[in-house]
Amino acid sequence: MAEVHASDGVRLYAEATGEGTPLVLCPGYCQTHENFRAQVEPLSAAGYRVVLWDYRGHGESDAPETEAAYSMDQVVDDLG
């Protein structure tokens, strides 16, 4: 497991597999990185660096208590 810290300090789960052009897979609301597990091996074998992550409040990422921590602007910032 790897982790990154968002601009506001929230710990986010992330992992990367393979080498090559990065391909970031983003789960939908109420999903986690595990929804993409079956795609990792074929995509990394095809030459991609596959990056999986969990949105804040989902999966293995931290869940902030304040409602403001879940804005769409923050999610976009997290992806960056």
Side-chain angles (χ1 to χ4, degrees), residues 14-57:
E15 67 178 69
T17 304
E19 297 179 16
T21 303
L23 180 62
V24 179
L25 303 179
C26 297
Y29 179 69
C30 293
Q31 296 180 339
T32 73
H33 67 281
E34 290 297 337
N35 290 87
F36 292 109
R37 185 62 60 203
Q39 287 84 8
V40 172
E41 186 178 331
L43 289 169
S44 62
Y48 292 97
R49 180 170 174 80
V50 182
V51 179
L52 304 179
W53 72 298
D54 286 335
Y55 292 133
R56 54 184 54 222

Side-chain angles (χ1 to χ4, degrees), residues 52-75:
L52 304 179
W53 72 298
D54 286 335
Y55 292 133
R56 54 184 54 222
H58 292 74
E60 297 184 41
S61 290
D62 286 348
E65 292 184 21
T66 63
E67 188 176 314
Y70 294 92
S71 71
M72 185 53 68
D73 287 340
Q74 185 63 59
V75 171

